[in-house]
Amino acid sequence: MRTLVLMVLSAFLELSVCGAEYRVSVSGSDSADGTAAAPWRTIQRGVDALKAGDTLRIGAGVYRERIELKTGGTADGSITIAAETGARVVVCGADLLADGWTRLPDGAWEHDWALRFPINGPDDLTHPGDPAHLLTGRAEQVFDAGRLLTQVLKREQLGRGTFFVDLDQKKLVVRLRDDGDPTRTDIEAGARGQWFVAQPGVSHVRVRGIVFRCASNHAQRGAFILGNDAKNWTVEDCTFERANGPGATFTGTGHVFRRCYFQDNGQLGFGAWACHDTRMEECTIQRNNLKGYSTAWEAGGLKITMSRGFALLRCRAINNRGVGIWYDIGNEKAEVAHCLIADNDEAGIFYEISYGLHAHDNLVINNANLGEKPRGAWAAAGITLSSSEDCVIENNTLAGNRDGVSFREQNRTTPRIGGGEVRVLNRNHTVRRNVIAHSQAFNIAFWMDTTFFGPHPAGHDKNDPVFEDPKTLGFRFEGNVLTPLSGRPNYLYGPLWRERHKTAGTPGEFKAVSGIEDSSLVSQSGFVDETARDFRLRDDSAASKAGAGVREMERIPR
């Protein structure tokens, strides 16, 4: 009897989890049944039908629509939205403009254009609204055969490869790179600011195998959005590309992103706010901030704020115009592990006014080297800790960055996740068993712009408090292997513009000027072939014998 009851219960649970399966196809109809034989035409029609445990399978093609998800799954049965096996599915925020073009006397072409992309009111079209972003902060997009044209703000500025939006006349004016005819090529113009929006609280959702492309969104407003209080999303094998602003914006708890690409977006690959216990696994964040938003504001690979337990594992953050991985404001218990962080214009990892970063076993190479002289960089490093606390930086291999590991300090406060605003400064950091080699400026740098190191030459901080002596703040340096460039010191203690700054070549010299213990070693790095970017360590190297550097280089994605 007991066995029979268990069999019935098991069958009931299986039915509760395994729901219906529906189909969407570009050749379908929204008045059809949503079956394989009679699929729907739009993804929106499909997601509107989903209940807990259901699956929507999407056939190959380009779907030019904005998808809004209002209902999710449950802990017993997620809803699944996935490309058919082997199908290339593209959700596009741009529309084709095939007909309706008129040639103008100067060789340009115009098309009717009634779209506006406001921030707040109808005439608020630029974000941010400062003079430096009057053009960058606009949201319009026009593509010629997949190549983005350059926007101009005045009709007289129109040249080859540019477009102008005449809001008064409601016209789109373009001039192709070859002065060609737009009716003989594929012209796409941004028509939607989002690809996919989940309403607050929508949880237990799986999204798999979809390319999200082109969106006329503004900075700080993702084109793929997880709403407040979302829980337990799994997003796999998706691409988020060519958004005007961030590819995506995430909030909520318990999400997993696997093998996703965030690439070629105008501002950021993605942004996250109040996004807790979330993991990025084997994801790639590359070539973001194509529009050139200010990197001092918010631009580059990604930016995470007010999040606890947000981890990047076995990811790649490469070739971003700005910071590669940026945690800023009130984050806690972050982890970055087994990642390749390379060739970003500014810091590889920038951890700012936050708590408890654990960065380990990362390969961090050639970051923060764009347009800087060695004496002109301020805390631009492979890994920068800026007014943050309780971080552990261990078993990383850092080579060829502007600085290796740097500490940036100012008089800062930050909000906490649980509420309140507190003062935060660099303290209680452990930096151990890293290989830090051939930094263009300094391998370890204390860019602590505080009155402890003397007055600022500009005199602007004369009313700031005198900050604590760094030797009282719990810095620990243990077992690192340092390899300076020829003629360069390993250490900077105090920013170059403060009168009491010092440089040092050895751990003993560093202790003499700072009072901070350091058991590190100065030695050749022992890389197999740095020129070929083979950063494995030779068995006979000092770093290998000391157990420094990345412990399992084969886990680093390339």
Side-chain angles (χ1 to χ4, degrees):
M1 183 66 181
R2 181 174 180 272
T3 301
L4 178 61
V5 171
L6 290 175
M7 290 175 63
V8 171
L9 179 60
S10 176
F12 173 78
L13 290 175
E14 184 175 347
L15 287 172
S16 71
V17 172
C18 298
E21 187 166 288
Y22 301 104
R23 294 291 199 281
V24 169
S25 169
V26 291
S27 60
S29 168
D30 281 352
S31 62
D33 296 329
T35 63
W40 291 314
R41 171 63 183 85
T42 65
I43 299 172
Q44 185 65 58
R45 175 65 180 87
V47 300
D48 286 344
L50 295 178
K51 299 180 178 62
D54 290 350
T55 297
L56 180 67
R57 300 199 182 278
I58 307 168
V62 178
Y63 296 81
R64 301 181 186 276
E65 57 179 301
R66 177 186 182 274
I67 303 159
E68 184 173 2
L69 186 60
K70 299 177 182 178
T71 303
T74 66
D76 293 327
S78 298
I79 67 169
T80 299
I81 303 165
E84 293 272 14
T85 301
R88 181 168 177 79
V89 174
V90 178
V91 173
C92 187
D95 287 344
L96 284 169
L97 299 181
D99 302 315
W101 289 98
T102 301
R103 184 178 176 87
L104 302 177
D106 62 355
W109 295 75
E110 73 176 14
H111 196 285
D112 290 340
W113 181 264
L115 296 176
R116 302 173 81 94
F117 300 98
I119 299 297
N120 296 306
D123 298 319
D124 186 11
L125 302 174
T126 299
H127 179 67
D130 59 90
H133 290 89
L134 289 179
L135 178 57
T136 306
R138 292 285 288 268
E140 293 91 351
Q141 291 183 314
V142 178
F143 297 87
D144 173 12
R147 296 177 64 190
L148 184 65
L149 300 181
T150 300
Q151 187 173 11
V152 297
L153 290 178
K154 297 180 180 179
R155 176 66 175 81
E156 57 268 27
Q157 296 172 330
L158 201 71
R160 289 186 176 183
T162 65
F163 73 94
F164 168 65
V165 177
D166 190 332
L167 295 170
D168 294 330
Q169 300 299 317
K170 297 184 178 180
K171 298 289 184 181
L172 172 65
V173 188
V174 304
R175 187 175 172 188
L176 304 187
R177 291 180 177 86
D178 60 355
D179 275 334
D181 183 343
T183 65
R184 297 182 179 180
T185 186
D186 289 331
I187 300 295
E188 295 176 285
R192 289 166 291 281
Q194 289 84 36
W195 305 306
F196 189 108
V197 178
Q199 289 300 307
V202 172
S203 301
H204 302 289
V205 178
R206 295 178 179 272
V207 181
R208 185 168 62 248
I210 300 174
V211 176
F212 297 93
R213 175 179 296 167
C214 307
S216 291
N217 58 328
H218 286 282
Q220 298 185 310
R221 289 158 171 79
F224 182 100
I225 299 175
L226 300 190
N228 294 336
D229 301 318
K231 294 180 176 63
N232 301 111
W233 281 62
T234 300
V235 182
E236 298 176 314
D237 303 300
C238 290
T239 298
F240 307 85
E241 64 182 12
R242 301 189 186 185
N244 182 76
T249 301
F250 308 127
T251 60
T253 303
H255 309 313
V256 178
F257 297 83
R258 293 192 184 99
R259 299 178 302 277
C260 292
Y261 283 77
F262 302 85
Q263 61 188 23
D264 302 312
N265 294 292
Q267 183 211 359
L268 290 168
F270 69 85
W273 177 82
C275 193
H276 308 306
D277 300 321
T278 290
R279 302 195 314 274
M280 291 268 169
E281 301 175 352
E282 301 178 55
C283 294
T284 295
I285 305 101
Q286 63 184 356
R287 301 188 303 267
N288 294 292
N289 192 22
L290 292 187
K291 290 196 71 178
Y293 286 88
S294 169
T295 58
W297 174 62
E298 183 175 322
L302 60 97
K303 195 170 191 181
I304 301 165
T305 63
M306 298 295 288
S307 299
R308 180 184 290 121
F310 196 110
L312 290 102
L313 310 174
R314 302 181 302 285
C315 293
R316 300 191 305 159
I318 57 177
N319 289 305
N320 294 288
R321 295 177 63 183
V323 172
I325 296 172
W326 190 350
Y327 289 84
D328 182 23
I329 305 174
N331 297 286
E332 300 175 7
K333 298 182 179 179
E335 183 181 11
V336 181
H338 298 286
C339 292
L340 173 64
I341 305 163
D343 303 306
N344 299 290
D345 286 359
E346 297 192 13
I349 300 174
F350 189 29
Y351 204 70
E352 186 175 10
I353 51 176
S354 293
Y355 299 83
L357 169 66
H358 188 198
H360 64 95
D361 295 284
N362 300 291
L363 178 58
V364 186
I365 54 177
N366 195 32
N367 295 285
N369 282 315
L370 184 67
E372 293 272 17
K373 296 180 180 179
R375 290 181 61 84
W378 182 32
I383 300 176
T384 296
L385 303 181
S386 178
S387 302
S388 294
E389 300 183 4
D390 302 308
C391 298
V392 177
I393 311 299
E394 62 182 344
N395 285 103
N396 301 285
T397 296
L398 304 102
N401 302 288
R402 174 59 48 190
D403 288 336
V405 176
S406 69
F407 307 94
R408 191 175 94 162
E409 190 66 272
Q410 297 167 280
N411 191 8
R412 306 293 298 274
T413 64
T414 185
R416 297 303 302 266
I417 291 173
E421 183 95 8
V422 297
R423 181 184 181 220
V424 60
L425 66 161
N426 277 310
R427 62 183 169 194
N428 298 333
H429 297 319
T430 298
V431 181
R432 63 191 173 205
R433 297 190 302 274
N434 302 282
V435 175
I436 310 175
H438 302 151
S439 301
Q440 302 301 300
F442 306 96
N443 282 329
I444 294 176
F446 280 67
W447 294 95
M448 304 180 83
D449 194 18
T450 70
T451 50
F452 173 82
F453 289 101
H456 194 285
H460 60 73
D461 61 358
K462 61 184 178 180
N463 295 320
D464 283 356
V466 176
F467 270 56
E468 291 85 349
D469 183 339
K471 72 181 180 184
T472 69
L473 297 179
F475 285 90
R476 290 175 290 279
F477 296 93
E478 303 167 354
N480 302 292
V481 175
L482 309 178
T483 306
L485 286 177
S486 178
R488 295 293 307 168
N490 273 307
Y491 299 87
L492 172 69
Y493 186 62
L496 296 173
W497 49 85
R498 297 280 184 168
E499 64 183 18
R500 292 176 55 195
H501 78 269
K502 304 288 184 180
T503 60
T506 68
E509 292 171 355
F510 172 65
K511 180 183 177 182
V513 300
S514 68
I516 298 172
E517 296 284 346
D518 187 347
S519 63
S520 298
L521 173 68
V522 178
S523 174
Q524 291 301 310
S525 58
F527 298 134
V528 169
D529 190 343
E530 184 171 357
T531 303
R533 288 197 167 191
D534 186 345
F535 291 97
R536 292 175 298 165
L537 294 168
R538 297 192 307 271
D539 291 340
D540 62 350
S541 67
S544 288
K545 294 175 182 178
V550 174
R551 289 167 291 188
E552 298 175 273
M553 190 66 75
E554 65 275 9
R555 297 186 64 185
I556 303 289
R558 302 306 295 266

